Amino acid sequence: MKKYQEFKQVDYPNIGESVLQYWKENNIFNKSVANREGAETFTFFEGPPSANGTPGIHHVMARTLKDIFCRYKTLKGFQVKRKGGWDTHGLPVELQVEKELGITKEDIGKKITVEEYNRKCRETVMRFKDEWDDLTEKIGYWVDLDDPYITFDAKYIETLWHLLKRLYDKDLLYKGYTIQPYSPAAGTGLSSHELNQPGCYRDVKDTSITAQFKLKGEESTYILAWTTTPWTLPSNSALAIGEKLDYVKVKTFNPYTYDAQTVILAKSRLSAYFNPKAKELSLAEYKAGDKLIPYEVVGEMKGADLLGLEYEQLFPIEAISLPHPAFTVVSGDYVTTEDGTGIVHLAKAFGADDFRTLVQNNVPGVFVQDEKGNDIPVVDKQGKFLPIIGEYLAAKMKEHGITAHKDYGVNDFYVKNYTDDNEDDKEYKNTDVIISIILKNESKAFKVEKYEHSYPHCWRTDKPILYYPLESWFIKTTAYKDRMVELNKTINWKPEATGTGRFGNWLENLVDWNLSRSRFWGTPLPIWRTKDGSEEICIGSIDELKSEIKKSIEAGLMESSPINEEEIDLHRPYVDDVILVSPKGVAMYREPDLIDVWFDSGAMPYAQWHYPFENEDIFKANYPADYIAEGVDQTRGWFFTLHAIAVMLFDTVSFKNVIANGLVLDKNGNKMSKRLGNAVDPFKTLKEYGPDALRWYMLSNANPWDNLKFSLDGVAEVQRRFFGTLQNTYNFFALYANLDEFVYDKSKSIPVAQRTELDQWIISKLQSLITDVESSMDNYDATKATRAIMNFTVDQLSNWYVRLARKRFWRGDMNADKQAAYETLYECLMSLSQLMSSFAPFYSDWLYKNLTDSSENQMESIHLTDWVGVDASLINKDLEESMDLAQRISSLVHSLRKNPKIGIKVRQPLQRILIPVLSEKSKVQIQHVEDLIKSEVNIKAIEYIDDASDVLVKSVKPNLPVLGKKLGPKMRFVVAAINTWGKEQISEIERNGKIYVDVDGESLELLLEEVLISSQDIPGWSVATDQELTVALDVTLTEELKQEGIARDLVNRIQNLRKDMGLEVQDKIHIQIAKHDDLVNASFENFGSYIKTETQALSLETLETVSDAIALDMDEFELSVKVLKAN
RNA sequence: GGGCCUGUAGCUCAGGUGGUUAGAGCGCUACACUGAUAAUGUAGAGGUCCGUGGUUCGAGUCCACGCAGGCCCA
């Protein structure tokens, strides 16, 4: 019975499936958590995905990255609870439902009730859960899928309400407004997502005005500002300049009224406003009506010089006059001179930049008061001017005799075409045009023209949108900005720059968090208000809601509770039907907004455990997280909301270590998309390559925080090179271990110190590998860890250890040396299975089982084992250096042998190599591995050349890093001098430890350690060198060497014959050979026993002739040979 | 427009604190090995280190300005 299973070929996908099955049947994941009960916790937070779409290959990346550190920490002895989660709210779900039902947002409440709509959302959002779970399992992402948190769950929402109330109680929740895209035609705000719908941005021709703002206290001097939205001009309350930009003062005439005037604009915009042909014209000779308007630059200044200048309000309407510092010049960092005048007109209500700039400068905006005393803009929500402006414009039309396609009443001044008036009417004039004409007539317009630009439109009504102030609820994150910045510095970000740069800068420029969303499917804002806004209540729990409902029913405001007590649902429409009663006995209605879904996910550390209503102990043991990982696109999303809530409410970080991973692109570096057809199907890839190679490829190919150019060829390469090599190594072990009936038994194993140097070396290398993997993983660097494991497996273990030790496994019967080889290889494979288990969880477990099937005290799975750390006593750096020399020397000899001038194949033994040694130490180091080198490159002896021999030629070069610090600019002279040195100077510095060099008449002392001495040549020999190492090869072929070469050739040919005959490794043979020339005959005579041993021949006969012989091609000649299988 | 990331061989990527001749794997070419064999080894060819300036005795590495691609935000 075979102790170690052997495999002809390996079906990696099948390993994945069968190991997965085994895990399920034996509950391995649960055990891996349960086994660590009572141990220190390592906390991981799952950033919830949304299951309303199918998972892609990038999710394999993200989920693998999450998985590996949890597995690693489990091995290290921590208990790692990982609760899965689902993100279920938000616009994408709503849009998908609307698409499927063929409805729009307007239809909600009309064609379909909110109740039905939300039920549909609830169904849709988990549609692909099964597919997600399937992928999660198949890639080996261990996370609790049976009891995940779900953001639409009433308990989950209850925690959110609790958190919101805590914010409310700290005065961090307030109602304000912000400038948002708004569709007057649809009467709703638009999300940036809606704005990014194809076709939203359209090229339109709008009337643009360069308006003239008259400076106070100066005669006819104007600042020019350009706008594509003239209707915002009545709301102007400041002008912005760029402080570093250059501006000019120009004397000229108004092109419409021909009045003499002085204007100010950016210097680089001169040519856009003035015809160069007019430059030579004299101002004095100008006559009103002349087409070419002369101009003269009369002053120049920086933007900073303009700051604080005051000007007259453009539309002097009493009701909208403002106190100082309105109508002054302020600084705006976004001002450019790409178009316009380099001066930007600011209207607080109609631009986000405008709003921000004016708030920063404490400049009031143009607003009027409604009946409640609230500020409202002069444009109403239907998109038309309030009568207060309408009256003014209507009066001005009359005054200037302006006629249009219709009679404009005070309520007709829509700022965009929301009326469906016929724009093709010859007399058609919109509000922008009317404003332009008024300004032209009043000498307040410098230039009016049609301007084509891209402007966003409402995707539902096709009408242009407005940027408009909308009411919103905010979290006052700015109040905690400094603390957030401070605590962020304690977070270990991978990569670091995302933490300091992208996230750090974001925190530095923090604005208050706009929580409000005007939608249907999401967490409702738990705030109820009286109609006049004077009283309000924030509800923080279901119990509180119930008791407030009770009060309200008692007060007679509701007949019964709209909330189903049996099955509590806190969504709309039920909460909207709840009317509460204020302390003064007034009815309170819920603020209709839903909250930003990012609050949902940012609250998961608390809500996943229904804290503080339940599970306080679990929460406390698992907060904050030790580790999280998500895409870098989440920086201002999940990473921020986690951080913000934690800092504001708990004064702590939410996570201590975080990896922000990059994107998965296609192999050409393009974004993957289903539409373009370059998306990689994860299920198909898994089926073809299995989970381990896929995971390994993704981790090892590039750092996770860089974008990954995903290529199936890369996966195949990992599979072949790494897994294939490892599998070959295992198979090699299994084949011979089974033949020798070797079974690993630690208690009987030979102490490492008694094994060969090769064994000691690979064990030492293995310890170094463990150190590397540990430190990489402790530093959240999986790429380094996987690369180190690969290098060890392929280069050290397989291509050096196994290759050199091969014969020990198959020659002769079981003995101590053989046992040591088995044990060494076995120990390496066992260690590898644990080291790689985090990254390749399936294959490693399978390997572990194959290695331990016949062992008595095996664990059920590698994932249930304890981490076997480094045994420092087994590290032998000296030996590692020796072996490194052996590898390099062998490589040099190989390169010499295949040099065209020499051309002697490895099978032909050679007498000796010569190695110059500069110190006794390096000589001893090489001597340690002499036998290995000799057998590897097939030479009989190594001879050393040291100072005592006169054939050694040394060379010297400067030790630049050392000398540079000492000499600085004198370096190159000294370097030049050193490069001319010969034997004499070298021996002088070696003898005295120093030497003097003349530079420019100055004598400089150079020390021995400031130069590097190496041997580079042996006169009369072919040498090969690699850095300080030099090897010479003796190519003399003696008779005996030739005979041995022939013998080896024969062995080689007979081994081929054996294989062709289909013989098993242990089969014995008889050999008959026909005699050839003297050299060949002598070879068989002298090396007969060697040939017999190697080929497992019982006899070797040399005969005059051999019947039924095969002609063996020996390159230079042929031999008649017959091989018979022994009985 | 702003912030951040990336740019090194045909491809995928390494290249502490600046140091003489910039590395690995894949691919390619040649050779070798043939009891790990649908494997493997060795060697070779292949580079304006995105560009331009600067700092320095010396720059792939540090600084500035650009270019190209990407992400996020306006």
Side-chain angles (χ1 to χ4, degrees), chain A residues 1057-1122:
Chain A
L1057 271 181
R1058 284 183 56 115
K1059 250 175 91 183
D1060 293 344
M1061 291 164 67
L1063 296 186
E1064 294 293 322
V1065 173
Q1066 63 274 26
D1067 288 336
K1068 307 292 180 208
I1069 54 168
H1070 296 286
I1071 306 172
Q1072 295 181 333
I1073 309 179
K1075 284 190 175 167
H1076 199 75
D1077 61 27
D1078 289 350
L1079 178 68
V1080 174
N1081 295 343
S1083 163
F1084 298 154
E1085 201 163 308
N1086 295 332
F1087 292 92
S1089 67
Y1090 163 79
I1091 296 169
K1092 283 194 285 184
T1093 316
E1094 290 293 315
T1095 60
Q1096 305 208 56
L1098 298 176
S1099 68
L1100 170 68
E1101 294 175 274
T1102 42
L1103 307 169
E1104 289 303 328
T1105 53
V1106 178
S1107 56
D1108 304 326
I1110 298 168
L1112 268 192
D1113 180 6
M1114 300 288 285
D1115 288 346
E1116 273 98 55
F1117 57 96
E1118 281 196 349
L1119 276 181
S1120 296
V1121 174
K1122 183 154 81 180

Side-chain angles (χ1 to χ4, degrees), chain A residues 93-105:
Chain A
V93 186
E94 294 196 358
L95 293 178
Q96 190 174 339
V97 164
E98 284 155 31
K99 198 171 154 196
E100 283 171 21
L101 296 177
I103 60 168
T104 68
K105 280 256 179 324

Side-chain angles (χ1 to χ4, degrees), chain A residues 722 765 769 786-797:
Chain A
F722 174 60
K765 277 287 198 192
L769 173 68
T786 48
R787 285 177 180 174
I789 294 172
M790 254 192 303
N791 174 275
F792 173 85
T793 306
V794 176
D795 293 338
Q796 313 302 334
L797 185 63

Side-chain angles (χ1 to χ4, degrees), chain A residues 935-946:
Chain A
S935 82
E936 173 64 12
V937 297
N938 200 11
I939 47 132
K940 300 291 178 197
I942 298 177
E943 290 174 19
Y944 301 92
I945 308 172
D946 52 26

Side-chain angles (χ1 to χ4, degrees), chain A residues 956-979 1006-1013:
Chain A
V956 64
K957 56 183 185 178
N959 187 347
L960 293 170
V962 177
L963 274 179
K965 285 198 180 63
K966 174 169 162 180
L967 298 173
K970 292 175 204 150
M971 269 285 277
R972 52 178 149 153
F973 305 110
V974 176
V975 169
I978 292 173
N979 286 338
L1006 292 187
L1007 302 174
L1008 182 56
E1009 55 267 30
E1010 288 162 353
V1011 297
L1012 300 168
I1013 294 171

